[in-house]
Amino acid sequence: MKLGIAREHREGERRVAGTPETVQQLVGLGLEVLVESRAGAAAGYSDDAYVRAGARIVPELDPGTLDILAHVRPLEPATAAALRRGAVTAGFASPSSELTTVRALAAAGVTSFAMELVPRISRAQSMDALSSQALVAGYRCVLEAAIRLPRFFPLFMTAAGTVPPARVLVLGVGVAGLQAIGTAKRLGARVSANDIRPASADEVASMGGTFIKLDLETAEAAGGYARELSADRGALQRKLLAPHVAQADVLITTAAVPGRRAPLLVSREMVQGMRPGSVVVDLAAESGGNVEGSVPGQDIRVDTADGEGTVTLVGLKDAASAMPADASRLYAKNVANLLALVVRGGTLSLDFGDEVLAGTCLTHDGEVRHAPTAEALAMPDNRASDNEGVA
């Protein structure tokens, strides 16, 4: 069976779905591995390294000849349509926003596994790409803030006087938030954090941060994710957070609700209430933003309320891709570990009695198996847009 590792073509994407290390693992499963030329170049993996690991380099992958296709970003509809019936794909699919591709995968009879759907259970931790990439992104958030902040992160005691540590506030304490806390602490900052999930307080403390407790209902959904607050509760949350935001030198927001627009945690007025020179990094900018006015890939200067200066609002884009070597190392291992459940003795073995495969499967045998996506596709607006596209 042939497995292809694609070269990513979306602008800004530098990761790759397979590394020389995972090629060896995949070859060990009995697969013939084809790597698109220069697929790993941006991540520091040469074509020669793939060849030494047992892969064959091809100028361009032909989707119609592959049994399995590994990728990072969601496939283009044309690529999905070109896959042969019964082929398997493994990669991020963004089903809520890539409905056209999902429909193409189903129509082509492709079995697609969406890495963002991997169940959050102990057995699937080695396949949890959301967590591995969030770790990279959380680390990156702090570095982006540090290079923009016009002062030190750590405490310095010098003959010329004492420089106090920067105050960092992290909102959202998932994997990315915890990594941001740990990185900011290692840089010497004084770190505090808040999350609406009750278990977060102990997690923050374990990373050396101070948990900010608000008089607000807790909100935890299945799998340990946060669930969205009502409009009234969201407004109260922002009101209670405002004084803490105003005291921070750096604000990092990482809150997300899977499959939904990112919750608004920080209003423009809250940003304007920060001290001149402060920095805000919004990791959720690409999914709607935790901070009002953030734009993916842009730095925006926001005038402070006192008119004495500005706050830098950073809308992060492609955060994990900005560190492609280790992001690819982790992601490729996630993909290879998932495929180890799919391939037995060099042949496909799709056991949907396995809760990991069942939970991760997006499409199979012409059916959209992920219920929320199937419901979205069935909505009248989506059917109408499909008809317009065909015409």
Side-chain angles (χ1 to χ4, degrees):
M1 286 202 312
K2 292 182 178 179
L3 178 145
I5 296 174
R7 182 175 70 246
E8 300 296 318
H9 295 283
R10 296 207 181 192
E11 184 180 358
E13 183 53 69
R14 302 169 64 200
R15 293 171 293 179
V16 63
T19 65
E21 178 187 359
T22 61
V23 163
Q24 292 179 327
Q25 181 179 351
L26 295 169
V27 169
L29 295 176
L31 297 171
E32 178 186 359
V33 180
L34 309 180
V35 178
E36 198 165 6
S37 181
R38 295 189 60 77
Y45 302 111
S46 68
D47 286 354
D48 286 346
Y50 284 109
V51 172
R52 289 194 297 271
R56 178 157 61 93
I57 301 297
V58 296
E60 188 174 348
L61 288 176
D62 179 358
T65 66
L66 299 175
D67 299 291
I68 303 172
L69 175 60
H71 58 96
V72 181
R73 290 294 182 108
L75 298 175
E76 296 292 338
T79 302
L83 290 162
R84 66 169 186 79
R85 189 169 191 86
V88 169
T89 66
F92 285 125
S94 300
S96 63
S97 60
E98 301 284 346
L99 294 176
T100 303
T101 295
V102 174
R103 190 176 290 101
L105 289 166
V110 171
T111 299
S112 59
F113 291 100
M115 297 305 293
E116 57 266 78
L117 299 182
V118 171
R120 299 198 84 187
I121 57 176
S122 296
R123 179 169 158 261
Q125 286 181 350
S126 67
M127 309 162 212
D128 187 353
L130 282 181
S131 292
S132 74
Q133 301 307 287
L135 182 147
V136 180
Y139 175 79
R140 186 74 186 187
C141 281
V142 179
L143 300 187
E144 295 291 342
I147 62 176
R148 290 169 173 83
L149 187 69
R151 54 169 302 183
F152 295 126
F153 263 44
L155 166 72
F156 281 116
M157 300 180 69
T158 77
T162 299
V163 178
R167 294 186 177 187
V168 175
L169 172 61
V170 177
L171 300 182
V173 189
V175 173
L178 288 171
Q179 181 62 23
I181 293 168
T183 303
K185 284 293 293 183
R186 286 191 291 272
L187 288 178
R190 182 180 300 167
V191 185
S192 58
N194 174 258
D195 195 291
I196 55 179
R197 294 168 300 171
S200 299
D202 290 340
E203 293 173 343
V204 171
S206 72
M207 300 300 292
T210 300
F211 187 76
I212 296 173
K213 183 173 177 58
L214 304 178
D215 186 15
L216 194 70
E217 67 175 330
T218 59
E220 186 167 356
Y225 290 106
R227 63 174 173 81
E228 194 171 12
L229 295 176
S230 65
D232 289 346
R233 285 295 187 179
L236 177 59
Q237 181 186 33
R238 290 189 289 275
K239 179 180 178 181
L240 295 173
L241 284 173
H244 300 284
V245 170
Q247 294 172 9
D249 298 299
V250 170
L251 170 64
I252 294 172
T253 64
T254 70
V257 179
R260 302 286 295 277
R261 181 183 175 87
L264 180 64
L265 303 181
V266 180
S267 67
R268 186 176 182 84
E269 289 74 20
M270 292 165 71
V271 174
Q272 291 175 320
M274 299 178 75
R275 288 187 290 270
S278 299
V279 177
V280 179
V281 179
D282 187 356
L283 179 58
E286 289 185 281
S287 58
N290 294 146
V291 183
E292 184 180 6
S294 68
V295 178
Q298 292 187 23
D299 284 17
I300 297 173
R301 301 288 184 179
V302 179
D303 292 333
T304 56
D306 60 12
E308 295 296 323
T310 61
V311 175
T312 302
L313 172 55
V314 183
L316 277 197
K317 183 179 181 182
D318 302 321
S321 182
M323 308 194 76
D326 286 332
S328 296
R329 185 196 309 275
L330 297 172
Y331 179 77
K333 195 67 176 177
N334 296 146
V335 171
N337 288 339
L338 177 68
L339 292 176
L341 299 181
V342 173
V343 179
R344 292 283 188 274
T347 61
L348 288 177
S349 178
L350 300 176
D351 177 13
F352 291 112
D354 185 318
E355 62 181 326
V356 176
L357 294 185
T360 309
C361 185
L362 179 60
T363 64
H364 174 67
D365 197 23
E367 175 188 2
V368 178
R369 292 176 62 100
H370 182 237
T373 303
E375 292 169 5
L377 285 168
M379 294 177 64
D381 287 348
N382 287 320
R383 291 200 298 266
S385 63
D386 289 343
N387 294 333
E388 291 169 5
V390 172

